[in-house]
Every structure is written in structure tokens, then in C-alpha cells.
Amino acid sequence: LWIRSQLGAPKLLELGDLARGMPQECLDDELHLIFEGKAPMKASVSISNLGLLYIRELSAMGSPMATTVKAIPIIGSDVSLVSSPSFGEAIFEVAYSASPRVRRRVVLKASELTAACRWQRALQQAAAGDGAGWLKVQNRLGFLSWSWATLLTVPLGRMSEISLGSMVLSPGSRWLVWFRTPEDLLQGNVAGGVELAGTEVFSTDPRRFTFSVAHIKRERSTGREQMKQLVLRSGSDEDMKRWMRALRRPPQEHQVQPSPGR
């Protein structure tokens, strides 16, 4: 209490900032990338635990360019080695879902085969992950709209509290959070979120890849809790199974790191 009175109350950390700070894997190899219809570029690439590939363009000298970081979905992507010469550049390709209905490709070139193989293994492992991806989320009016969604667990024992808007979140609570685009996640711009009430998932219409989860709704004035159902839709049967597997898994806590988005 004395420390709090001297230093003031700890600053609230927004749930969007928690998403931005999720761990990333970077293999310390600069890559040359070619997006469909665009000129090649040199880039620093990292893999986020939230199913995204973060790409920061580099100058010819290897320093970051003064541009925003690009985020492309990696979960559910197809990763293949296109060319693996014994010397020179090794080339592999990632076919990813730029939106729920649009598949695009990015070609990556590594300076050596060893680096390409490391990246290929890391990307294939990330592509087989779960707990993030495109979902159609039901809004207050009952309509479904596509969003980039991810699962987050509020850490235990933090010096600062986590909030969503004006609401302080309970440590250890598990949330399904969605963003309009993957880039919005990089900026911490949360479009919506619900606190999950457990690990139960109900398949409501397998032919339309629709399922529902139970969540907790709290009245701000009284703190009273109500159990609600949130209807979700994925883009394919494979995506639906991936989401249901992740939602049924017990919560996992991650350490927050600095985000590449700012």
C-alpha cells in the first residue's frame, strides 16, 4: 500500500497491447521476399505466436525502412520448397489466406540452403498451429462478419492490470479477441472480445462450419454475471476443427514482449 501511494496505481495495459506483445520467433536471417505483383524486397521476418508472419522491409544496408510492419497469416498456410540448389539462393513459397476467401503467395529467397531449411521448418510448424485465424463473428444485431481472431490468457501476477476499454480483466481469464485485420492486431486495435466460460465448444452446423462457445457477460453497474452463447463460423472444415481443438485446450500463459508494430 505504501508503494502504491508513493508511486501511484499501476498503469492499465490494454488487451490489444497484450496481443501486440506476444512472443515472436526470429531466426536472425535476412530474407528476400517477392509478393505477387510487386517488386522484390529485402526484409527482416519474425513469426508471432498469434499465427502471423511479421515482415519489416530493410534497406540495401540492412537497416529497417521507415514503413509499417506488414502482417500476413501463417496458420493454415501451405509452405513448400521450390528450389534447393547446392549453392546460391534457396527458394521456398508460402501460400496464405490474405482474407477468408483470397489465397495469395509470397516467395522467400534465402542466401543459403541451410537458412532456407531452418525457415521452412519454422514456417511449417507455425502453419500447423491453432488458436488464431479468420472467423466470422456474430455482432449485436445477429450478423456475422469476418475478423482476425486469437485466443489470449490474462497473465497472473502482473504489476499492471489488463483492461478492455473501462473494464479491468481478471488474472487468468481466457479471452477470444478479434480484430478487423491482422494489421489492426499489430496496432492493438481490438474490434471485440469475450471472456470464455470454459473449454466447451458446440458444433451447431458442420456443413456451414458454424460452432458456438459459452462466454461470460458482466453488467458494469452491478458486476452480475450472465452466461451467453457466441456463434462463430470458420472458412473450412479444417479451420473449424483447428479452432475447436484450440478452444478445448486448457489456457496457456505467455510472456509479453515488445511489439514490432510501433
Side-chain angles (χ1 to χ4, degrees), residues 165-243:
S166 60
M167 180 170 56
V168 177
L169 311 184
S170 303
S173 60
R174 193 182 189 210
W175 287 73
L176 177 66
V177 188
W178 53 92
F179 306 81
R180 193 176 59 85
T181 66
E183 281 77 13
D184 280 352
L185 186 153
L186 272 176
Q187 300 300 321
N189 298 327
V190 176
V194 295
E195 181 181 353
L196 298 177
T199 57
E200 289 186 300
V201 187
F202 306 94
S203 177
T204 56
D205 189 347
R207 291 179 300 177
R208 301 180 68 185
F209 321 125
T210 303
F211 55 101
S212 65
V213 295
H215 68 93
I216 301 170
K217 183 178 180 181
R218 289 187 176 88
E219 295 182 5
R220 294 186 178 182
S221 57
T222 64
R224 181 183 175 186
E225 294 184 356
Q226 290 181 315
M227 297 290 289
K228 298 287 186 178
Q229 292 287 327
L230 177 67
V231 177
L232 305 164
R233 183 184 297 170
S234 58
S236 67
D237 181 65
E238 182 180 355
D239 288 342
M240 182 179 68
K241 291 177 179 177
R242 184 183 293 113
W243 270 109

Side-chain angles (χ1 to χ4, degrees), residues 116-152:
C117 289
R118 285 201 303 269
W119 273 106
Q120 184 185 15
R121 286 193 296 268
L123 289 171
Q124 285 175 335
Q125 183 178 1
D130 56 32
W134 293 106
L135 277 180
K136 260 191 174 181
V137 184
Q138 188 178 43
N139 60 25
R140 296 176 181 176
L141 300 178
F143 298 106
L144 293 168
S145 59
W146 286 109
S147 301
W148 180 261
T150 187
L151 291 172
L152 288 175

Side-chain angles (χ1 to χ4, degrees), residues 87-106:
F87 59 91
E89 290 183 331
I91 304 171
F92 59 104
E93 179 182 278
V94 177
Y96 64 96
S97 297
S99 69
R101 296 291 181 236
V102 177
R103 294 282 284 184
R104 291 180 180 167
R105 299 181 306 124
V106 57

Side-chain angles (χ1 to χ4, degrees), residues 41-109:
M41 70 177 187
K42 187 177 182 180
S44 170
V45 181
S46 61
I47 305 171
S48 166
N49 277 18
L50 300 186
L52 296 172
L53 201 63
Y54 294 152
I55 299 173
R56 187 188 297 275
E57 187 174 358
L58 301 175
S59 66
M61 300 299 293
S63 58
M65 301 280 284
T67 57
T68 58
V69 177
K70 185 175 180 63
I72 66 172
I74 184 64
I75 281 183
S77 297
D78 297 319
V79 183
S80 58
L81 191 63
V82 177
S83 174
S84 56
S86 56
F87 59 91
E89 290 183 331
I91 304 171
F92 59 104
E93 179 182 278
V94 177
Y96 64 96
S97 297
S99 69
R101 296 291 181 236
V102 177
R103 294 282 284 184
R104 291 180 180 167
R105 299 181 306 124
V106 57
V107 176
L108 301 95
K109 297 182 180 181

Side-chain angles (χ1 to χ4, degrees), residues 9-14 154-155 157-163 168 171:
K11 182 180 179 182
L12 292 179
L13 181 69
E14 283 285 339
V154 178
R158 283 190 53 85
M159 293 299 294
S160 60
E161 296 173 314
I162 309 294
S163 68
V168 177

